[in-house]
Amino acid sequence: MKILVTGAAGFIGRNLTVELKNRGHNDILAFDIDTDKAILDEFCRDCEFVFHLAGVNRPPDESGFDSGNREFTGQLLELLRRHGNSCPVVCSSSTQAERDNPYGRSKKAAEDLLLTHAAACGARVMIYRLPNVFGKWCRPNYNSAVATFCHNIARDLPIQLNPTDPEITLCYIDDLVNEFIAALEGKEHRRPDGFCFVPQGYTVRLYHIAALLQSFRRSRLELSIPDMAEPFTRKLYSTYLSYLPSDQFSYPLKMNVDARGSFTEFIKTADRGQVSVNISRPGITKGNHWHHSKNEKFMVVSGTGLIQFRRIDGEELLEYHVSGEKLEVVDIPPGYTHNIINLGHTDMVTIMWANEAFDPERPDTYYLEV
């Protein structure tokens, strides 16, 4: 299928075209503001589906709203009719179309042209009145508060907050792209009034967004991970990471080093425990302690070692030989003193998970030789 995408180089257009290609749609007719206008006629002749995403929302003067939204939509539809092309058309409109302002009026006028086109030639037209869309590749310091906040907070720059703390309705770019591709397959979601919509959406206070983003920035120092079970938080975190400066993708960890090797905390969570990396020198034994409630999982990923257990009130010795050549997890239950011994000639690396982040005020760790 030949798919025409107007506004292909924009935020939504870029995300849509790459996912269309991911799904095997390789005949994309990409049109943007810098494309030769003569090519649009050829595209309108050949296309079998249209994603009309091109539009203007920050013109130099108000007349640009009409020319970039209503007039261009009219030109596109006229070219389709000239070639007798009644293929389906998806249009990204805006919730602003319901409001009486220059931008909203221009989007409403474009919608009316599309509805007239559908009535005239029988084309299936799907109009999406989109709220604010957020996600990777959105331009900061333009018309998206989320993109601007992500960009500035990632660089420790100030942000401007509306003191009224307004609610913002948001749509995540991947959810939007999935809905658009569903529309391509004839499975769009429609409201009773005929307009289409993205099923997943979020209404969030502006201050809450800013607070989440600030917590994401602090998370590198705190070694914390946001609540990934909460969909909006998970999607906002993905968005935030995409705005990191390209020379700041990495960050250092504090390695606690001694003659035995090192111990480094990697990730801490409030509800899923802590992950650490333990490195043991050859011949070194670590541990020889037990816990009342804390429990752990050990996985040796490099080297060869031995994990020993003994219930603190018993004498039976349990042993597990472990190796990076055969990855396996060993559970460390409470009430058992345990150790881990490097039996090899090289450093042994162990990934350790504990069910709770380490609390120096309540370590729940008691020395006892296995």
Side-chain angles (χ1 to χ4, degrees), residues 259-290:
R260 302 173 302 159
S262 66
F263 181 82
T264 305
E265 295 177 323
F266 174 30
I267 291 173
K268 297 180 181 181
T269 68
D271 61 342
R272 293 293 186 272
Q274 173 175 319
V275 178
S276 305
V277 179
N278 184 74
I279 299 177
S280 301
R281 304 296 187 204
I284 290 297
T285 298
K286 287 190 175 184
N288 283 322
H289 60 234
W290 64 280

Side-chain angles (χ1 to χ4, degrees), residues 258-262 278-286 302-306 340-350:
D258 59 25
R260 302 173 302 159
S262 66
N278 184 74
I279 299 177
S280 301
R281 304 296 187 204
I284 290 297
T285 298
K286 287 190 175 184
S302 180
T304 302
L306 176 68
I340 182 168
I341 306 166
N342 184 350
L343 300 179
H345 302 291
T346 60
D347 287 354
M348 181 175 65
V349 181
T350 307

Side-chain angles (χ1 to χ4, degrees), residues 12 49-53 89-98 103 107 111 114 124-131 133 171 175-191 194-199:
I12 297 175
F49 198 99
V50 177
F51 286 103
H52 179 35
L53 313 179
V89 179
V90 164
C91 175
S92 62
S93 186
S94 168
T95 53
Q96 292 290 318
E98 303 170 359
Y103 175 60
K107 297 300 282 187
E111 292 178 355
L114 282 156
R124 184 166 64 98
V125 167
M126 292 149 281
I127 300 172
Y128 286 83
R129 284 184 169 176
L130 300 176
V133 183
C171 173
D175 296 331
L176 174 58
V177 167
N178 286 335
E179 171 62 22
F180 277 179
I181 294 178
L184 175 67
E185 298 169 351
K187 302 173 185 176
E188 71 275 9
H189 290 83
R190 285 188 185 264
R191 299 197 307 245
F195 289 100
C196 297
F197 68 99
V198 181

Side-chain angles (χ1 to χ4, degrees), residues 307-311 314-319 337 339 370:
I307 298 174
Q308 296 180 317
F309 295 88
R310 179 176 60 81
R311 213 170 98 160
E315 297 182 357
E316 182 183 11
L317 181 66
L318 305 175
E319 295 186 329
T337 185
N339 62 30
V370 174

Side-chain angles (χ1 to χ4, degrees), residues 89-365:
V89 179
V90 164
C91 175
S92 62
S93 186
S94 168
T95 53
Q96 292 290 318
E98 303 170 359
R99 300 184 181 183
D100 186 20
N101 56 53
Y103 175 60
R105 289 192 295 269
S106 69
K107 297 300 282 187
K108 178 63 168 59
E111 292 178 355
D112 292 342
L113 290 174
L114 282 156
L115 295 173
T116 300
H117 172 78
C121 65
R124 184 166 64 98
V125 167
M126 292 149 281
I127 300 172
Y128 286 83
R129 284 184 169 176
L130 300 176
N132 296 281
V133 183
F134 72 102
K136 64 182 183 300
W137 305 337
C138 187
R139 179 178 169 187
N141 299 304
Y142 185 58
N143 69 339
S144 168
V146 172
T148 301
F149 285 5
C150 287
H151 177 273
N152 285 16
I153 289 173
R155 289 158 179 77
D156 201 22
L157 298 173
I159 59 173
Q160 292 184 347
L161 290 170
N162 186 327
T164 64
D165 190 18
E167 282 189 336
I168 301 179
T169 301
L170 296 165
C171 173
Y172 184 54
I173 186 62
D174 287 4
D175 296 331
L176 174 58
V177 167
N178 286 335
E179 171 62 22
F180 277 179
I181 294 178
L184 175 67
E185 298 169 351
K187 302 173 185 176
E188 71 275 9
H189 290 83
R190 285 188 185 264
R191 299 197 307 245
D193 61 6
F195 289 100
C196 297
F197 68 99
V198 181
Q200 301 84 9
Y202 307 94
T203 300
V204 190
R205 291 282 183 186
L206 189 67
Y207 281 29
H208 179 61
I209 296 172
L212 280 176
L213 293 173
Q214 295 285 9
S215 75
F216 298 162
R217 178 175 173 81
R218 293 193 305 271
S219 68
R220 287 184 162 194
L221 296 175
E222 299 169 350
L223 306 183
S224 61
I225 294 293
D227 180 5
M228 295 300 171
E230 203 288 303
F232 177 72
T233 301
R234 182 177 68 250
K235 294 168 183 179
L236 187 66
Y237 183 66
S238 295
T239 301
Y240 171 77
L241 291 182
S242 73
Y243 286 86
L244 289 175
S246 58
D247 61 348
Q248 294 182 29
F249 288 166
S250 69
Y251 57 100
L253 297 175
K254 179 186 177 184
M255 296 181 66
N256 300 290
V257 181
D258 59 25
R260 302 173 302 159
S262 66
F263 181 82
T264 305
E265 295 177 323
F266 174 30
I267 291 173
K268 297 180 181 181
T269 68
D271 61 342
R272 293 293 186 272
Q274 173 175 319
V275 178
S276 305
V277 179
N278 184 74
I279 299 177
S280 301
R281 304 296 187 204
I284 290 297
T285 298
K286 287 190 175 184
N288 283 322
H289 60 234
W290 64 280
H291 316 289
H292 275 300
S293 297
K294 182 185 295 185
N295 53 86
E296 300 165 294
K297 294 178 183 288
F298 289 0
M299 182 173 68
V300 171
V301 296
S302 180
T304 302
L306 176 68
I307 298 174
Q308 296 180 317
F309 295 88
R310 179 176 60 81
R311 213 170 98 160
I312 64 169
D313 59 352
E315 297 182 357
E316 182 183 11
L317 181 66
L318 305 175
E319 295 186 329
Y320 289 84
H321 288 269
V322 289
S323 169
E325 298 299 316
K326 181 185 176 184
L327 297 186
E328 60 183 319
V329 175
V330 178
D331 276 315
I332 312 296
Y336 280 79
T337 185
H338 53 277
N339 62 30
I340 182 168
I341 306 166
N342 184 350
L343 300 179
H345 302 291
T346 60
D347 287 354
M348 181 175 65
V349 181
T350 307
I351 304 299
M352 296 181 170
W353 172 86
N355 68 312
E356 58 187 40
F358 179 72
D359 181 359
E361 299 298 320
R362 191 180 59 84
D364 187 16
T365 301

Side-chain angles (χ1 to χ4, degrees), residues 3-32:
I3 302 173
L4 169 58
V5 181
T6 71
F11 164 45
I12 297 175
R14 290 172 65 194
N15 279 276
L16 175 63
T17 54
V18 297
E19 185 56 21
L20 285 170
K21 292 177 181 178
N22 285 343
R23 302 194 191 189
H25 297 283
N26 295 312
D27 206 348
I28 309 296
L29 310 177
F31 183 87
D32 207 79

